[in-house]
Structure formats: structure tokens, C-alpha cells
Amino acid sequence: MSNPFVRIVEPLDPKQPLKKFFNLSKLEDARYARLPFSIRVLLEAAIRNCDEFLVKKGDVENILNWKVVQHKNVEVPFKPARVILQDFTGVPAVVDFAAMRDAVKKLGGDPEKINPICPADLVIDHSIQVDFNRRSDSLQKNQDLEFERNKERFEFLKWGSQAFKNMRIIPPGSGIIHQVNLEYLARVVMDQDGYYYPDSVVGTDSHTTMIDGLGVLGWGVGGIEAEAVMLGQPISMVLPEVVGYKLLGNPEPLVTSTDIVLTITKHLRQVGVVGKFVEFFGPGVAQLSIADRATIANMCPEYGATAAYFPVDDISIGYLLQTGRDKDKVMCTKKYLEAVGMLRDFKNSSQDPDFTQVVELDLHTVVPCCSGPKRPQDKVAVSDMKKDFEACLGAKQGFKGFQIAPDRHNSIVKFNFEGRDFELAHGSVVIAAITSCTNTSNPSVMLGAGLLAKKAVEAGLTVKPYIKTSLSPGSGVVTYYLRESGVMSYLSQLGFDVVGYGCMTCIGNSGPLPEPVVEAITQGDLVAVGVLSGNRNFEGRVHPNTRANYLASPPLVIAYAIAGTIRIDFEKEPLGINASGRKIFLKDIWPTRNEIQAVERQFVIPGMFKEVYQKIETVNKSWNALNAPSDKLYTWDPKSTYIKSPPFFDGLTLALQTPRTIEDAYVLLSFGDSVTTDHISPAGNIARNSPAARYLTSRGLTPREFNSYGSRRGNDAVMARGTFANIRLVNKFIDKQGPQTVHFPSGETLDVFDAAERYKQAGHPLIVLAGKEYGAGSSRDWAAKGPFLLGVKAVLAESYERIHRSNLVGMGVIPLQYLPGEDARTLGLTGWERYTIIIPEKLKPQMKVQIKLDTGKTFHAIMRFDTDVELTYFHNGGILNYMIRKMAS
């Protein structure tokens, strides 16, 4: 059927009649001008894709009527313009695509129908780790190791880029996915198939929201959901409420964008924005660069929103020119946005749209701060860091507590490193990493770090040699301007050499600490500290030996590295004493905003971006030398420990099965609040005593060859064994942290995988009990795939992180939610009971279902299938099964 809105199609430029757009201003509907700018993007996509099948006129009306409909839990479809993936989530996506081709062929269909329809970019940035640091050849050595460890994965990805149409691979060594997206991949306005329309993107990484800072609407989705989008399916989403976040005033001269985003993160956590869009407005936005806005948008998952949108303004247009985009295309972008009423002037309050609610922040009130020691929303003013950490030492075990006995607060452990004697104590810094696209995309904080390093070296300050320092920029542009501005040599003198272009420490690829340091930490049971310019500091994520981890701006990372401890009051205590006996305070070496801006204006220029990005797909010689098979169906290697055909589609038929009641399920694990995807599906190192290690050893590998969980996401046998394998897992059935549980029929305490295998062999279904924010953290599809393979049929929680709930649905695992005011405690649940979950034949979104216990107790919970589309996926046994049946028939 033809599009019913074809009447508003017209050329953007009469001289180019074949280049058209849907002119939303021709709708002649007063509601359009009152819509939040983020909702206008959803509206345009619905109008352009309206076919009365996947997208209907009623969907368009619902979006136009957002002000009324927003509170009614109404489902709307959204077709993003692009999909972006990183390699940790990209490998399993390509594995699934390859396995889906096999499944479609078995069902009699054309396997080549399994092919991306929506353009997809895959950036390889998650595989490199900090094995070498503090040496001039660290970058080359880490990259060589990356290829040695991941050659098989990289060959598989290269096969995927050739076998599947519409998929581009950005090779390793290019940068971090979100920074490459910001500086290179993002279009702001698409010019495709004869139409102009707003750029939009979903990605298999929760920090995809970083691109919202440039005015490209984007957010993270599960790998499973992204695969459906790549296959041409719209995302089914509940039309969101939009919180208007009004920025006023100017930041103080010593405040960085990192301080601003950590302040906003804590504020919006308190406001409560889970499942909502946040849209920034107000005169304060005009004071922020695109890099500042991108930093704020990047941490959107940490404050819980779906998207954190900064509409396009003239500063956005200027950024496109600064980063070397084609001038004619940029001018066309501006013309299109003006025509459809999507170009914002933040100083013009008459443009302010309607919002669900408005909250404000005066930028003048922001102070320098960090966040930690275990969560990104736990902001601490730098002036309070010392006393806050010391309070955490003795506090009860929790997000702000380590429960260290008072008589051990000042424990010291002496050790020898490279022939010199040192001491470690609680609060000693052992990792200091300038890492993560959150900050390395921002020239102001990176140059600020460089200038601080220069002043520190000139003042005679040093960093202790045992501290693992590193600099992992998000793109080659960063190295370019740090080198050209003359600050790179000073960073190197303090140990901050470039160690790689990738996420590295921020995702747990921090590499090993020196053995003497590990021994000292273990001997004293010390709360050692990691300081990083990242966006995540959940316990067990950064490094197993750093129990406290603080997020900080790049200049503060260097400051704490020089100090060597978090237990310092910068206002009263010196960073250090130089060779001449002079006390050097932080204020003595902190660069002013004017200093930073002067250097930025001189050295961050369009030519740099053009030079770096014009050769990005061909510059890596190791990638170019890889040999990949050319077959359209992948030939699985049974000896491979990286790439394995998954069992998800074994026995799949075209016929649907009726949903069945889950009878007498055992509880595999019982959790409290804020169990993250890092707890459920770790991405870091594979512990030598774990089920995954035993499996790899049985395949002939040595511990040196284990690599990380993240690198083995293409092998379900490893990932199932790695599910719930985090050493910091807190399971209520066990009286200590660790990846174990009780196997109730035998009463034995076992590794989680081993217990699940016993239940599976006996034919017992499993469930998981959890508290609030179950599945917080990175968008990790294996956090849903893993429990599915362990035999988990349902999760019963107080609340869910948005992407993780969607991923559970995508795998056919039922997300159940306690009724308001109820939880495991109020219902008297111990987890030792057996649970029967009554699944009726006729299901509807968010219906209540009855749960019966073997104790005789009965209660109800909400089945969190939020839309009819999600119910369709469930009836098919998951979204991928649905797509296979659709393609095969």
C-alpha cells in the first residue's frame, strides 16, 4: 500500500527534484510545534514508514497526540535509520545471523534472506586490553597481543562483512565505537534512497546514547533486538514520557564536563527517569560544546533514561564542519532541519516545547566531583573524598561500605617493586586510567589532563612506578592533538602512554596488576582503588583486586595517580613534595579554562579528523592480512573455542507451541537490589577455577590462552558456564560473595553452572528471584542468553533495567514483577520453595499471573510483556525464532 502521507512529500531544493523529504510543517497540525524535539524524530520516522502494516496511521496519530497519550502506556513502532554494534556484542550477532541462515535453509527457505536491511556498522573496540603500559611500545605490543588472542574472531567478523550485505566493519585500532560514531559515522540527516530524514540509531551498547549529544536520537538495545532491526523490523516501544532538563548559568572555571555529568547522573537518579526520554533545553545548553553534551548523553544509562537528547543547533552544525564533514552536505543538513522545525535555538524560549515535567540545574552550582566507590550515581565532591572513603571503610557491606574493622583502617603492607620498597594501605591507588569515550571524546578534558601533566612534571612531581597508569584514547584524533599541542611527552613521563584505541579499563580489560601489588593487597585484605575516566565502576568490573573504583575527569585521574591515594584532601594536603622540598598542591598545577580553550582552538582542527578518518578502514595492516572464507553459509569448525553454532534453533519447526505453565520450579539464585549484567554475564578475565576454565582446559587450552569472557561471546559453551560467574556475586543462599549456589535436592553448594546442569538433567525448571534494578548496566545479550541456556524459565524481580527486560523477552524468558508494595520480604519468600507459575492460554500485555508455592502460599505478579509484539515473540519462543519462521515461510 502507498504511504498515506505522500501529500507532504516535496523536494528540499527545487533544482534537485529527485531529492525529497516529508515536510512535517505541511501537516498543518498545531500539536507538532508543541512536541518535544525527540518525539518529532519518532513522528517523522512513523510518517515516512507508514504502510498500514508495520506502521499505521493510528501510530502517527498517537505520536502527534503525545501530550495526551504519553501516560497511557501506548505502544508505537520506530524504525531507526542505522544500527551500530561493537565486537563483544557484534560477534554473537553475526553468529546468530550465520546460525539463522542454517535454520532457514533447514526449514526450506532461502538462507540469503537473512541479511541486514537496515545499514549496520560494527566497530571492533572491546578486544584490546592493557597488558603493557608505561613503555613507548605499549600500543604496538597490546595490539599484537589483541590479534594473537582474537585472530579467529576477527576472521569470522571479516567473513561476516563479506557474506552479509549492508554491514561495514571498522577494524581494531580505530577507536571506541561511540567516539567513532560521533566524529565520523553520524550523519545528523540521512540522504538515502532519494529522501532526506533525521539520522537515528540503535546500538548493541548501552552508551549508544552518546550520539544524542549531537542531535542524533539513539539508544542501546539488546543484541537480540538489534538483529531484528537489522532484518527490517521496527522496534516496538511504549511512547515515552519526556523530562525537560533545563540548564541555566555558566560552570565555574575549575569545573569540567565530567563534574557536570556526574552531578546530572545523581540528580536524575533522584528524579527517576527510567524508561523516559530526557531532553535538554535552556540557555545553559548554549554554553556547552558538542563534546560536553556528548559526555552528558553518554552516561544516560547511569541515570536510567532511555535517551538523553540535545536537539541540533548551530553549535552542532559547527561541530560537523570542525570534524571535517563535507561542507555542502552540512549546509543541506541545516536547510532540512530548518524546513521541518528541528533546528533549535536554546536561547529562544519561545521554541521550548511541552514536557512531561521540567527539572533544572544551574551549572554555576556544580563542583568538582567523583563517583564511587561502587556505583556511578554515588557522586562525591572532591573536597569530601577523603572523609567519604574513610566512612565507607567501616560502613556495613553495601554500595557505600566495605565493613573493615576499625582497628584495621590504618593497616599498612610493605612490599618491594623493581628493587624499591613501597607501602600499600586502604585507599591506595593501584590503577589510574584515562579511558572511555565518555571523556576521551572531549578535547577540553583531554587537553586539561595534558596541561596538568606538563605542569606536574615541570614542578618535579612523579607517579609511583607500581601504579598501573594508562591512556586509551577513543580515536586517533586525540593522539594527534595531544602530540601536536606538545603535551603527550609529559603524559608519558607520568606513565600515561597510549596503550591502545579501545574501551580497555572501562570494560574490565585493565590487564594484570604487578604480582607484588596483588600479593600486598591480598595479604592485607586491602581496599585498593582504581581511578578511571569511565562511566561504570560496578564492583568486580574494573579489576578483581580493586574493591573501590571511582569515576573522575582525566585531570583528576592524573592528580590521584600522583597522590597515590584516595585519602587526600587536595585543599589542605600537597600532591607531593618535589626534589627541592617544595610542597606542590593541586591548585598549583590545575590549568584554567582559558588556557585549555586557547590550546583547543589552535590544535583541534578539521584537517586532523579528515586525515585520521579517510584511511580508517584500511590503515590496520594486520586486519588487511586476515584471510576470511567467502561462502555465504559459514562452515563451523568443531575444534573452535571462539566461534560455535548456538543451540537456540535446535529442533525448531514452523508450527508454534502453546505456552505452558511452569511447574515446581526451583530457585537457582536469590538476589537483592542492583544485580548488574556484569554480575549475570561477566566480560572480564576467566577465573582459573571456574566452570568455563575447566571447559577450556578440557579443550587443550592453557590459562594464558583463556582470554576474556567478552572475547568468547561467540561460543555458547563458554558463555553458559560464565553465566553468574562474577566473583563479587551476592547470592542470599550463600554466606559469602562468589559464583555459587545451593543445589536444593542434594543440599550441596556448587558453582552456578554445575547446579543448573544437575537441575536440567533431572528435568527441573528454574527461576531467579531479584530485587530492584535487575539487569542494570551494559546492554549484554548474554545476560539473557546465558540464563536461558541454564534452564531459567522466568525471573521474578521488583524492577528491571529496560534493555535487560527486553533481552529476556527476546530469549523467551518470562520477566515477572512483584505487585506494587510487594517483594520477597513482604511475601515471606525464602527462595527454598518450589514455584508453579500459571501461564494462561490467552495472554495480554502486563497481565497478572498466579504463582503457587509448594508451601501452599499463593500470590500474583505482573508478567512484563509490555506490548502485543513482545507477546508474539514469546509465543514463538523468542524474537530470533519469530524472524526465522517469518523468513522461512
Side-chain angles (χ1 to χ4, degrees), residues 215-230:
V216 175
L217 185 63
W219 61 85
V221 295
I224 303 154
E225 199 173 10
E227 291 167 34
V229 174
M230 289 164 70

Side-chain angles (χ1 to χ4, degrees), residues 186-202:
R187 284 76 143 176
V188 178
V189 168
M190 302 290 287
D191 175 2
Q192 190 133 335
D193 300 328
Y195 283 89
Y196 295 107
Y197 52 93
D199 188 6
S200 58
V201 63
V202 291

Side-chain angles (χ1 to χ4, degrees), residues 666-671 675 679-682 689-692 694 709 717-734 736-744 748-761 764 766-769 774 783 786-792:
Y666 282 98
V667 177
L668 180 63
L669 295 144
S670 178
F671 295 127
V675 169
H679 291 114
I680 305 168
S681 181
N689 60 347
S690 65
R694 293 196 290 274
Y709 282 113
V718 173
M719 296 309 294
R721 287 164 173 80
T723 302
F724 299 114
N726 191 306
I727 61 169
R728 302 294 181 197
L729 194 74
V730 179
N731 174 15
K732 291 180 181 179
F733 298 150
I734 306 292
K736 62 180 181 179
Q737 290 184 338
Q740 294 188 310
T741 194
V742 174
H743 176 253
F744 289 117
E748 290 180 68
T749 296
L750 302 172
D751 287 330
V752 174
F753 174 80
D754 295 335
E757 280 294 287
R758 285 223 200 150
Y759 284 122
K760 189 184 293 185
Q761 288 163 8
H764 297 309
L766 298 170
I767 68 168
V768 170
L769 300 182
Y774 182 73
F788 169 81
L789 290 178
L790 294 186
V792 173

Side-chain angles (χ1 to χ4, degrees), residues 120 188 223 231 328 456 684 776:
V188 178
L231 291 167
D328 290 340

Side-chain angles (χ1 to χ4, degrees), residues 615-647:
K615 55 189 179 184
I616 191 170
E617 292 178 53
T618 57
V619 73
N620 192 314
K621 293 177 182 176
S622 299
W623 175 263
N624 296 340
L626 289 175
N627 290 317
S630 57
D631 303 332
K632 295 300 182 184
L633 290 175
Y634 188 69
T635 304
W636 306 95
D637 180 359
K639 296 193 292 286
S640 174
T641 57
Y642 277 104
I643 307 298
K644 179 177 174 290
S645 181

